[in-house]
Amino acid sequence: MEPKRTTVRDLRRHNRSTLLTKLYFDGPLSRHELSGTTGLSAATVSNVTGELVEDRLVVEAGLVESDGGRPRVLLRVDPGYAHVIGIDLGETGVKVELFDLVMNRLAAVDNPLPASHPDPAAVVAEIATGLDEVISTAEVDPGSVLGVGIGVPGIVEQGPTVLVHAQTIGWDSVPLVDLLRAAGTDLPLFVDNGAKTLGQAEMWFGAGRGARHAVIALIGSGVGAAVITDGASYRGATSSAGEWGHTTISYGGRACRCGALGCLEAYVGAEGVLDRYRRGRGGRVAEQDEQSGLDALITAAGRSKAAAKVLEETAGYLGSGIANLINLFNPERIVLGGWAGLKLGAHLLPEIRRATLAHALREPYSQTSIELCQLGPDAVAVGAATLPVAALLEQGADFRPRRRAA
């Protein structure tokens, strides 16, 4: 089979993508700097950036002095070129956030879900309502929305029909995009696993930035991870890689929501931590939901030996799970995120690091840092919003909003 020939259009798209990506992550930059960092000729940079300025995707951002010549014009991506929306479809609620093109948040809504196994139709209704709310609140033209990214629990099967397999919330082959279309949503839609959107957000803007090999862990009600190898997300054969929460840490151990025994999630997910406290230690905390329950447990640890013991064990279980990641993937950085991961990490990070050292091989452990997510509890939604941005950068701006933002 003959290799595909590169056309002039392919080369143009590649050059636009290269320069646009550089400006997006490292701008503002001068044309001279763009040529030096991308390896493209000065003439190519001048022609392509001229196109991007004409398309109003790139704008001038002031001047910088040059060595002996005229000041050089700085260029940057125009934040107002388009809008993007990110959705965190969690197990307890739906968070919808609207951003400009460079991820300045303009509006957000966060609505709880009524059940632990939400009906897909009810979730679709919440998403549709949330989309209308953020667009209305920010007073933007729906035609300026480049796309909507959705981070979901479970495995996302990409194809002509996008299917969500979320075993822990009772979803089996749910055609989420088709359901949203049937509900009247006509915006471009992108769906991925929530841990992977969290990972992309942290790699782009947070604690993972600059790393080539990293694992970004999401700990909430459930547990997952994004594995980054040589700068790219490792997905496996069918995009289910990263189900860290369903790796076994105790043969024949606690029952997990997935139906198996001894999964990491059953020990360090918020539901599992609170259940261990109730059942194993006979303790109770005043709680309205998992988040308030975990807050109460952490507070109680200062006066309750039972609560303190559960948190000590949780740090040990987390350290054991992180050690497995280190031994398997040899990352340079591990980032703990998700709402529960942030709460546990803020209280237990030194203990988690010590437990990791006790279980990991010494040499790869010595080359790994363990850090907390920098983007906070909104990281899944931020990462989801980067999905349409990534399509724009990859396609060299051939993928555009229906109408440019004002």
Side-chain angles (χ1 to χ4, degrees):
M1 186 177 187
E2 289 187 21
K4 182 180 177 182
R5 294 182 179 178
T6 301
T7 66
V8 172
R9 181 174 180 177
D10 292 335
L11 184 59
R12 173 181 174 274
R13 182 184 293 115
H14 170 76
N15 290 341
R16 284 172 65 96
S17 174
T18 298
L19 293 171
L20 187 59
T21 299
K22 191 66 180 174
L23 285 171
Y24 189 84
F25 291 110
D26 298 327
L29 296 167
S30 69
R31 291 175 174 85
H32 178 75
E33 289 172 314
L34 286 168
S35 179
T37 57
T38 64
L40 297 175
S41 69
T44 296
V45 170
S46 179
N47 289 336
V48 174
T49 55
E51 290 179 6
L52 294 172
V53 169
E54 187 176 341
D55 292 341
R56 301 171 68 188
L57 179 54
V58 168
V59 294
E60 294 185 357
L63 301 172
V64 63
E65 294 295 328
S66 63
D67 297 331
R70 292 182 299 175
R72 293 182 176 129
V73 176
L74 292 173
L75 301 174
R76 65 176 173 87
V77 171
D78 183 2
Y81 174 79
H83 300 99
V84 290
I85 295 174
I87 299 176
D88 177 0
L89 198 174
E91 298 188 22
T92 58
V94 177
K95 183 179 296 183
V96 183
E97 302 188 352
L98 184 143
F99 305 85
D100 65 17
L101 191 58
V102 297
M103 306 308 295
N104 294 307
R105 186 179 293 101
L106 305 179
V109 295
D110 193 352
N111 295 319
L113 290 172
S116 59
H117 284 62
D119 179 68
V123 173
V124 165
E126 288 288 355
I127 290 175
T129 299
L131 290 173
D132 290 341
E133 285 187 40
V134 294
I135 289 172
S136 174
T137 299
E139 299 181 339
V140 303
D141 180 351
S144 73
V145 177
L146 186 69
V148 178
I150 308 173
V152 302
I155 298 166
V156 179
E157 181 182 340
Q158 305 288 354
T161 300
V162 176
L163 300 175
V164 179
H165 308 277
Q167 194 168 319
T168 56
I169 62 170
W171 284 20
D172 183 20
S173 301
V174 172
L176 185 60
V177 170
D178 288 353
L179 292 176
L180 284 165
R181 292 281 178 246
T185 302
D186 63 351
L187 297 168
L189 298 173
F190 303 78
V191 184
D192 205 349
N193 171 266
K196 291 182 173 65
T197 70
L198 168 78
Q200 181 150 298
E202 288 293 325
M203 292 300 293
W204 279 26
F205 307 116
R209 188 169 168 85
R212 299 293 296 172
H213 301 271
V215 179
I216 318 296
L218 184 155
I219 304 171
S221 300
V223 175
V227 179
I228 311 300
T229 60
D230 201 21
S233 179
Y234 175 71
R235 293 180 171 273
T238 58
S239 199
S240 72
E243 289 293 333
W244 178 48
H246 301 291
T247 56
T248 303
I249 63 166
S250 177
Y251 175 74
R254 286 174 51 83
C256 180
R257 299 179 303 165
C258 73
L261 299 177
C263 292
L264 177 68
E265 181 176 300
Y267 295 87
V268 305
E271 181 178 311
V273 172
L274 293 173
D275 188 62
R276 283 194 296 109
Y277 183 53
R278 296 188 199 101
R279 293 175 183 270
R281 300 290 165 185
R284 297 199 62 81
V285 290
E287 60 187 90
Q288 295 178 330
D289 53 38
E290 287 181 357
Q291 297 203 29
S292 63
L294 192 57
D295 284 335
L297 176 61
I298 291 171
T299 300
R303 60 179 184 275
S304 164
K305 290 183 179 180
K309 183 63 174 177
V310 167
L311 291 182
E312 178 187 338
E313 291 171 349
T314 300
Y317 291 130
L318 258 176
S320 176
I322 292 171
N324 289 338
L325 294 175
I326 290 173
N327 293 344
L328 281 169
F329 298 110
N330 186 209
E332 59 194 285
R333 200 170 302 165
I334 291 198
V335 179
L336 291 180
W339 67 265
L342 288 171
K343 290 178 187 293
L344 292 169
H347 186 71
L348 298 171
L349 192 57
E351 291 85 351
I352 292 169
R353 286 173 174 152
R354 283 195 291 270
T356 303
L357 174 60
H359 292 89
L361 294 170
R362 287 191 299 274
E363 183 61 18
Y365 175 84
S366 71
Q367 300 166 349
T368 305
S369 65
I370 303 172
E371 305 174 18
L372 293 183
C373 166
Q374 292 179 358
L375 300 180
D378 291 337
V380 172
V382 173
T386 68
L387 298 179
V389 177
L392 176 78
L393 299 179
E394 182 180 351
Q395 297 175 32
D398 283 350
F399 169 66
R400 307 179 185 210
R402 290 168 292 179
R403 289 187 291 279
R404 185 184 178 276

